[in-house]
Amino acid sequence: MSIEAISKLTARQRDCLRLVLHHKQSKEIGRELGISPMTVDNHFRSAIQTLGVSNRLEAALMLASYEGDEPSQRLTSQPHPVVSPAESSIMASSSDIGDGQREMTSALREDQVPYRTYREASFVDFPLPVPTRGKPRNDLSIAQRLFWIAILIFGMGLGAGALLSGFAALTNIALALKH
């Protein structure tokens, strides 16, 4: 391992390589760092060339071993936390809050956590096939997708049956009035 080569890496290259060890793809890394996926890939290419390795994983592992493989390594380009360590004990637990609010409440004190109604709390974990405020991405499993397809087919059949039944009833009423 060349310490000189690692010292030539830029802060952004190091940030990108650290996120590789968290199993993130270029799109996710770009979203987290506020840069495009192409820029992330350019950082990877430069880092791979600088370190003389064959892929991004080798480069990330080399950086991790150089830095002492500290699992909670902060990204250098991200701001410091809003809450001081002394206040962190009074922060709200993010386990009882929906996915969309976790990032927002991680830096809030307990009295600043948004109020959740019973309705919001009851539907947080129910997988819907449409994007919601709490879950903007479709992360349904194959079984959940098949379940929703079956529900939609059943609902459409039920609706078509009700419509045909209504037409039949109207036809019977029209025939009764005619005679």
Side-chain angles (χ1 to χ4, degrees):
M1 169 173 61
S2 173
I3 295 173
E4 298 162 3
I6 291 176
S7 65
K8 292 180 184 177
L9 294 175
T10 65
R12 279 292 192 183
Q13 289 171 343
R14 289 173 187 241
D15 290 345
C16 292
L17 290 174
R18 286 182 193 115
L19 290 172
V20 166
L21 292 179
H22 292 282
H23 307 288
K24 299 205 178 210
Q25 300 297 321
S26 295
K27 281 184 180 181
E28 297 166 317
I29 293 171
R31 221 176 293 136
E32 191 163 326
L33 297 178
I35 57 179
S36 76
M38 290 176 55
T39 304
V40 171
D41 290 335
N42 287 336
H43 287 310
F44 284 138
R45 273 189 228 104
S46 298
I48 288 168
Q49 186 177 19
T50 302
L51 297 175
V53 293
S54 60
N55 59 41
R56 65 175 76 181
L57 182 58
E58 285 182 33
L61 290 171
M62 185 181 285
L63 177 66
S65 65
Y66 171 75
E67 291 180 337
D69 200 14
E70 188 177 316
S72 63
Q73 180 72 32
R74 273 187 44 80
L75 298 177
T76 56
S77 60
Q78 288 194 341
H80 295 287
V82 175
V83 179
S84 67
E87 292 178 330
S88 64
S89 62
I90 62 169
M91 287 175 45
S93 170
S94 64
S95 62
D96 59 343
I97 298 172
D99 290 338
Q101 294 178 340
R102 282 183 198 196
E103 294 173 8
M104 181 179 73
T105 60
S106 65
L108 296 177
R109 293 188 314 265
E110 187 173 297
D111 60 338
Q112 294 175 324
V113 176
Y115 176 76
R116 291 188 321 145
T117 62
Y118 175 75
R119 181 180 177 138
E120 290 173 348
S122 64
F123 291 110
V124 168
D125 293 329
F126 190 71
L128 296 174
V130 294
T132 61
R133 202 175 348 175
K135 292 188 177 192
R137 297 183 64 181
N138 183 355
D139 56 354
L140 296 178
S141 68
I142 292 174
Q144 290 170 331
R145 290 173 196 239
L146 291 175
F147 168 78
W148 279 108
I149 289 171
I151 292 294
L152 290 172
I153 289 172
F154 177 76
M156 289 186 335
L158 194 64
L163 190 64
L164 290 175
S165 170
F167 284 143
L170 286 175
T171 303
N172 288 339
I173 290 173
L175 287 176
L177 291 176
K178 201 176 205 181
H179 288 91

